[in-house]
Amino acid sequence: MNYNIEVAEPSESNVVGSMIFKMVREVRPFSVKVTEERKFMRLAERMLLSGREYWAIIARHSSGEIVGILTLNENSSVQHGGRYGEISEFYVLPEHRSHGVGARLIQAAMAFGADRQWKLLTAVSVQDSEQKDAASLHEQLGFKVLGQRLEYYL
């Protein structure tokens, strides 16, 4: 299959939001209602239009359909030597998995970060039976498992 990997434009915020909504519905179906997809689209638009610290990389099938997404945030810390990137969201439609789409999205994120002179690229991978493939893919591409990320919702 033929896929094009590219940085999403703000005008593609609806598809970005929709893909992230699909990811959340698959990974944590209890956490969102079917009617909330528009909310994801509006938030994606606001974040992409801000033009700073948030980007989406998309995988487009030769048919034109968006089949994968990876979002990035720019962070900074002294311990990481300055600016670094974080893969915040990562999703490939089930029917397009195991075709190299995920690896190409991660490689594009690595190149994007190198262009921005980031010192590091981090990712959070959910450690459950449904997400083992994503964690394994990150490790195959050179990511190191360093621990867990903790969350506290405000």
Side-chain angles (χ1 to χ4, degrees), residues 22-112:
K22 289 175 185 174
M23 176 195 73
V24 172
R25 290 284 298 169
E26 182 178 325
V27 176
R28 296 187 325 238
F30 54 86
S31 67
V32 293
K33 299 175 188 156
V34 175
T35 57
E36 293 182 296
E37 186 171 11
R38 295 290 306 153
K39 182 172 80 173
F40 279 68
M41 292 175 180
R42 285 190 304 273
L43 186 54
E45 180 179 38
R46 250 192 350 259
M47 293 173 75
L48 288 171
L49 282 172
S50 75
R52 60 185 204 290
E53 300 175 357
Y54 182 82
W55 301 269
I57 298 174
I58 54 176
R60 189 183 310 271
H61 185 264
S62 57
S63 67
E65 177 187 17
I66 304 300
V67 300
I69 187 163
L70 180 151
T71 64
L72 295 164
N73 283 299
E74 184 172 273
N75 302 305
S76 59
S77 74
V78 172
Q79 71 173 331
H80 292 119
R83 295 180 311 155
Y84 69 96
E86 175 187 64
I87 297 173
S88 302
E89 294 140 337
F90 177 53
Y91 183 68
V92 177
L93 293 174
E95 60 272 22
H96 292 275
R97 294 176 188 161
S98 299
H99 294 285
V101 176
R104 290 189 56 204
L105 285 166
I106 293 170
Q107 291 164 341
M110 292 170 167
F112 184 90

Side-chain angles (χ1 to χ4, degrees), residues 91-134:
Y91 183 68
V92 177
L93 293 174
E95 60 272 22
H96 292 275
R97 294 176 188 161
S98 299
H99 294 285
V101 176
R104 290 189 56 204
L105 285 166
I106 293 170
Q107 291 164 341
M110 292 170 167
F112 184 90
D115 288 347
R116 296 193 58 78
Q117 299 180 336
W118 290 344
K119 309 293 185 211
L120 175 73
L121 184 60
T122 65
V124 175
S125 183
V126 179
Q127 296 297 315
D128 65 20
S129 60
E130 298 293 319
Q131 300 299 312
K132 284 184 181 172
D133 290 343

